[in-house]
Amino acid sequence: MTSTVPALGTRTAEGSALQAVLLDMDGTLVDTEGFWWDVEVEVFAALGHTLDDSWRHVVVGGPMSRSAGFLIEATGADITLAELSVLLNDGFEERIGRTLPLMPGAARLLGELSAHEIPTALVSASHRRIIDRVLASLGPQHFALTVAGDEVPRTKPHPDPYLAAAAGLGVDPARCAVVEDTTTGVAAAEAAGCHVVAVPSVAPITPGARRTVVGSLEEVDLTFLRGLMTQMR
């Protein structure tokens, strides 16, 4: 877990129940969920295996250990999890070095949160080496804290990453808004006790008691997030 700028503590706008905003990365802020699948297809093709497109919904949003482990078991590929993880990270890093499109509304939302000094954390199942590359495009100044999937005992769908982010910011998870794009990430945030805004990227997500589903980050701003906290208290 790494702080990229000095932590902003629990400072919030007067009258708001919102203490912090915790944001997923792949598929939420950057349009990269398809990149991971493309790299997985390429790596397994080189190993002599074809991936079934239906598996994409199984591996999306999950930690690499789960996704890579599933693909090894499903294909019977002769490769270890450690070896495959290196190949996948290498392929993904090469791909984002060529292009890294932001999701619609991402830059505007990050700018707004920074302008209002809302404590914000990036919470991803991706490894630290990948997060640091992506931060260069997102702008590290927007985040008081970043949490990588290889820095917590259990990553998503377990609550550990979001609990670590809330603890690092010194805030109550129940007063945090999380923005996620997959059911795996949503499960992690809800298990941590956070309020969730789901912006589905690959697979549909249904609304829930502490979960609001929107079509795009363009529908999400600070007023929306503060209102969400008030409605769900």
mmCIF file with all atom_site columns, all heavy atoms in Angstrom, residues 4-17:
data_model
loop_
_atom_site.group_PDB
_atom_site.id
_atom_site.type_symbol
_atom_site.label_atom_id
_atom_site.label_alt_id
_atom_site.label_comp_id
_atom_site.label_asym_id
_atom_site.label_entity_id
_atom_site.label_seq_id
_atom_site.pdbx_PDB_ins_code
_atom_site.Cartn_x
_atom_site.Cartn_y
_atom_site.Cartn_z
_atom_site.occupancy
_atom_site.B_iso_or_equiv
_atom_site.pdbx_formal_charge
_atom_site.auth_seq_id
_atom_site.auth_comp_id
_atom_site.auth_asym_id
_atom_site.auth_atom_id
_atom_site.pdbx_PDB_model_num
ATOM 1  N N   . THR A 1 4  ? 0.651   8.250  -2.495 1.00 0.00 ? 4  THR A N   1
ATOM 2  C CA  . THR A 1 4  ? 1.246   8.964  -3.612 1.00 0.00 ? 4  THR A CA  1
ATOM 3  C C   . THR A 1 4  ? 1.286   10.469 -3.384 1.00 0.00 ? 4  THR A C   1
ATOM 4  O O   . THR A 1 4  ? 2.011   11.170 -4.047 1.00 0.00 ? 4  THR A O   1
ATOM 5  C CB  . THR A 1 4  ? 0.465   8.673  -4.908 1.00 0.00 ? 4  THR A CB  1
ATOM 6  O OG1 . THR A 1 4  ? -0.909  9.007  -4.698 1.00 0.00 ? 4  THR A OG1 1
ATOM 7  C CG2 . THR A 1 4  ? 0.579   7.208  -5.273 1.00 0.00 ? 4  THR A CG2 1
ATOM 8  N N   . VAL A 1 5  ? 0.470   10.965 -2.469 1.00 0.00 ? 5  VAL A N   1
ATOM 9  C CA  . VAL A 1 5  ? 0.518   12.362 -2.049 1.00 0.00 ? 5  VAL A CA  1
ATOM 10 C C   . VAL A 1 5  ? 0.210   12.361 -0.560 1.00 0.00 ? 5  VAL A C   1
ATOM 11 O O   . VAL A 1 5  ? -0.288  11.377 -0.030 1.00 0.00 ? 5  VAL A O   1
ATOM 12 C CB  . VAL A 1 5  ? -0.520  13.246 -2.788 1.00 0.00 ? 5  VAL A CB  1
ATOM 13 C CG1 . VAL A 1 5  ? -0.260  13.275 -4.270 1.00 0.00 ? 5  VAL A CG1 1
ATOM 14 C CG2 . VAL A 1 5  ? -1.940  12.780 -2.523 1.00 0.00 ? 5  VAL A CG2 1
ATOM 15 N N   . PRO A 1 6  ? 0.498   13.426 0.170  1.00 0.00 ? 6  PRO A N   1
ATOM 16 C CA  . PRO A 1 6  ? 0.181   13.428 1.598  1.00 0.00 ? 6  PRO A CA  1
ATOM 17 C C   . PRO A 1 6  ? -1.287  13.134 1.841  1.00 0.00 ? 6  PRO A C   1
ATOM 18 O O   . PRO A 1 6  ? -2.162  13.669 1.170  1.00 0.00 ? 6  PRO A O   1
ATOM 19 C CB  . PRO A 1 6  ? 0.542   14.865 2.025  1.00 0.00 ? 6  PRO A CB  1
ATOM 20 C CG  . PRO A 1 6  ? 1.572   15.300 1.031  1.00 0.00 ? 6  PRO A CG  1
ATOM 21 C CD  . PRO A 1 6  ? 1.167   14.643 -0.260 1.00 0.00 ? 6  PRO A CD  1
ATOM 22 N N   . ALA A 1 7  ? -1.566  12.255 2.808  1.00 0.00 ? 7  ALA A N   1
ATOM 23 C CA  . ALA A 1 7  ? -2.949  11.880 3.097  1.00 0.00 ? 7  ALA A CA  1
ATOM 24 C C   . ALA A 1 7  ? -3.742  13.089 3.559  1.00 0.00 ? 7  ALA A C   1
ATOM 25 O O   . ALA A 1 7  ? -3.240  13.969 4.238  1.00 0.00 ? 7  ALA A O   1
ATOM 26 C CB  . ALA A 1 7  ? -2.983  10.785 4.167  1.00 0.00 ? 7  ALA A CB  1
ATOM 27 N N   . LEU A 1 8  ? -5.004  13.138 3.170  1.00 0.00 ? 8  LEU A N   1
ATOM 28 C CA  . LEU A 1 8  ? -5.859  14.270 3.474  1.00 0.00 ? 8  LEU A CA  1
ATOM 29 C C   . LEU A 1 8  ? -6.731  14.031 4.700  1.00 0.00 ? 8  LEU A C   1
ATOM 30 O O   . LEU A 1 8  ? -7.603  14.825 5.014  1.00 0.00 ? 8  LEU A O   1
ATOM 31 C CB  . LEU A 1 8  ? -6.750  14.575 2.262  1.00 0.00 ? 8  LEU A CB  1
ATOM 32 C CG  . LEU A 1 8  ? -6.004  14.963 1.002  1.00 0.00 ? 8  LEU A CG  1
ATOM 33 C CD1 . LEU A 1 8  ? -6.982  15.066 -0.153 1.00 0.00 ? 8  LEU A CD1 1
ATOM 34 C CD2 . LEU A 1 8  ? -5.276  16.277 1.178  1.00 0.00 ? 8  LEU A CD2 1
ATOM 35 N N   . GLY A 1 9  ? -6.531  12.889 5.380  1.00 0.00 ? 9  GLY A N   1
ATOM 36 C CA  . GLY A 1 9  ? -7.257  12.627 6.607  1.00 0.00 ? 9  GLY A CA  1
ATOM 37 C C   . GLY A 1 9  ? -8.751  12.536 6.390  1.00 0.00 ? 9  GLY A C   1
ATOM 38 O O   . GLY A 1 9  ? -9.218  11.982 5.408  1.00 0.00 ? 9  GLY A O   1
ATOM 39 N N   . THR A 1 10 ? -9.525  13.098 7.302  1.00 0.00 ? 10 THR A N   1
ATOM 40 C CA  . THR A 1 10 ? -10.980 12.983 7.235  1.00 0.00 ? 10 THR A CA  1
ATOM 41 C C   . THR A 1 10 ? -11.624 14.281 6.800  1.00 0.00 ? 10 THR A C   1
ATOM 42 O O   . THR A 1 10 ? -12.814 14.484 7.003  1.00 0.00 ? 10 THR A O   1
ATOM 43 C CB  . THR A 1 10 ? -11.541 12.570 8.605  1.00 0.00 ? 10 THR A CB  1
ATOM 44 O OG1 . THR A 1 10 ? -11.157 13.557 9.591  1.00 0.00 ? 10 THR A OG1 1
ATOM 45 C CG2 . THR A 1 10 ? -11.019 11.219 9.030  1.00 0.00 ? 10 THR A CG2 1
ATOM 46 N N   . ARG A 1 11 ? -10.878 15.188 6.207  1.00 0.00 ? 11 ARG A N   1
ATOM 47 C CA  . ARG A 1 11 ? -11.435 16.459 5.793  1.00 0.00 ? 11 ARG A CA  1
ATOM 48 C C   . ARG A 1 11 ? -12.519 16.266 4.746  1.00 0.00 ? 11 ARG A C   1
ATOM 49 O O   . ARG A 1 11 ? -12.316 15.608 3.743  1.00 0.00 ? 11 ARG A O   1
ATOM 50 C CB  . ARG A 1 11 ? -10.321 17.317 5.186  1.00 0.00 ? 11 ARG A CB  1
ATOM 51 C CG  . ARG A 1 11 ? -10.317 18.718 5.676  1.00 0.00 ? 11 ARG A CG  1
ATOM 52 C CD  . ARG A 1 11 ? -9.111  19.466 5.229  1.00 0.00 ? 11 ARG A CD  1
ATOM 53 N NE  . ARG A 1 11 ? -8.151  18.691 4.462  1.00 0.00 ? 11 ARG A NE  1
ATOM 54 C CZ  . ARG A 1 11 ? -7.172  19.265 3.778  1.00 0.00 ? 11 ARG A CZ  1
ATOM 55 N NH1 . ARG A 1 11 ? -7.065  20.573 3.757  1.00 0.00 ? 11 ARG A NH1 1
ATOM 56 N NH2 . ARG A 1 11 ? -6.306  18.549 3.129  1.00 0.00 ? 11 ARG A NH2 1
ATOM 57 N N   . THR A 1 12 ? -13.694 16.828 4.973  1.00 0.00 ? 12 THR A N   1
ATOM 58 C CA  . THR A 1 12 ? -14.775 16.769 4.002  1.00 0.00 ? 12 THR A CA  1
ATOM 59 C C   . THR A 1 12 ? -15.471 18.104 3.975  1.00 0.00 ? 12 THR A C   1
ATOM 60 O O   . THR A 1 12 ? -15.292 18.932 4.855  1.00 0.00 ? 12 THR A O   1
ATOM 61 C CB  . THR A 1 12 ? -15.819 15.686 4.362  1.00 0.00 ? 12 THR A CB  1
ATOM 62 O OG1 . THR A 1 12 ? -16.343 15.977 5.659  1.00 0.00 ? 12 THR A OG1 1
ATOM 63 C CG2 . THR A 1 12 ? -15.214 14.296 4.368  1.00 0.00 ? 12 THR A CG2 1
ATOM 64 N N   . ALA A 1 13 ? -16.283 18.321 2.951  1.00 0.00 ? 13 ALA A N   1
ATOM 65 C CA  . ALA A 1 13 ? -17.047 19.554 2.877  1.00 0.00 ? 13 ALA A CA  1
ATOM 66 C C   . ALA A 1 13 ? -18.071 19.585 4.003  1.00 0.00 ? 13 ALA A C   1
ATOM 67 O O   . ALA A 1 13 ? -18.633 18.563 4.385  1.00 0.00 ? 13 ALA A O   1
ATOM 68 C CB  . ALA A 1 13 ? -17.751 19.668 1.532  1.00 0.00 ? 13 ALA A CB  1
ATOM 69 N N   . GLU A 1 14 ? -18.327 20.752 4.548  1.00 0.00 ? 14 GLU A N   1
ATOM 70 C CA  . GLU A 1 14 ? -19.246 20.900 5.666  1.00 0.00 ? 14 GLU A CA  1
ATOM 71 C C   . GLU A 1 14 ? -20.632 20.381 5.278  1.00 0.00 ? 14 GLU A C   1
ATOM 72 O O   . GLU A 1 14 ? -21.148 20.661 4.211  1.00 0.00 ? 14 GLU A O   1
ATOM 73 C CB  . GLU A 1 14 ? -19.337 22.377 6.056  1.00 0.00 ? 14 GLU A CB  1
ATOM 74 C CG  . GLU A 1 14 ? -20.170 22.623 7.304  1.00 0.00 ? 14 GLU A CG  1
ATOM 75 C CD  . GLU A 1 14 ? -20.161 24.083 7.699  1.00 0.00 ? 14 GLU A CD  1
ATOM 76 O OE1 . GLU A 1 14 ? -19.406 24.849 7.097  1.00 0.00 ? 14 GLU A OE1 1
ATOM 77 O OE2 . GLU A 1 14 ? -20.925 24.432 8.597  1.00 0.00 ? 14 GLU A OE2 1
ATOM 78 N N   . GLY A 1 15 ? -21.216 19.610 6.188  1.00 0.00 ? 15 GLY A N   1
ATOM 79 C CA  . GLY A 1 15 ? -22.570 19.124 5.967  1.00 0.00 ? 15 GLY A CA  1
ATOM 80 C C   . GLY A 1 15 ? -22.640 17.843 5.165  1.00 0.00 ? 15 GLY A C   1
ATOM 81 O O   . GLY A 1 15 ? -23.722 17.338 4.918  1.00 0.00 ? 15 GLY A O   1
ATOM 82 N N   . SER A 1 16 ? -21.512 17.284 4.751  1.00 0.00 ? 16 SER A N   1
ATOM 83 C CA  . SER A 1 16 ? -21.527 16.068 3.942  1.00 0.00 ? 16 SER A CA  1
ATOM 84 C C   . SER A 1 16 ? -21.171 14.863 4.795  1.00 0.00 ? 16 SER A C   1
ATOM 85 O O   . SER A 1 16 ? -20.257 14.910 5.607  1.00 0.00 ? 16 SER A O   1
ATOM 86 C CB  . SER A 1 16 ? -20.529 16.179 2.794  1.00 0.00 ? 16 SER A CB  1
ATOM 87 O OG  . SER A 1 16 ? -20.434 14.940 2.120  1.00 0.00 ? 16 SER A OG  1
ATOM 88 N N   . ALA A 1 17 ? -21.906 13.753 4.613  1.00 0.00 ? 17 ALA A N   1
ATOM 89 C CA  . ALA A 1 17 ? -21.585 12.508 5.316  1.00 0.00 ? 17 ALA A CA  1
ATOM 90 C C   . ALA A 1 17 ? -20.469 11.759 4.617  1.00 0.00 ? 17 ALA A C   1
ATOM 91 O O   . ALA A 1 17 ? -19.960 10.775 5.132  1.00 0.00 ? 17 ALA A O   1
ATOM 92 C CB  . ALA A 1 17 ? -22.829 11.633 5.411  1.00 0.00 ? 17 ALA A CB  1
#
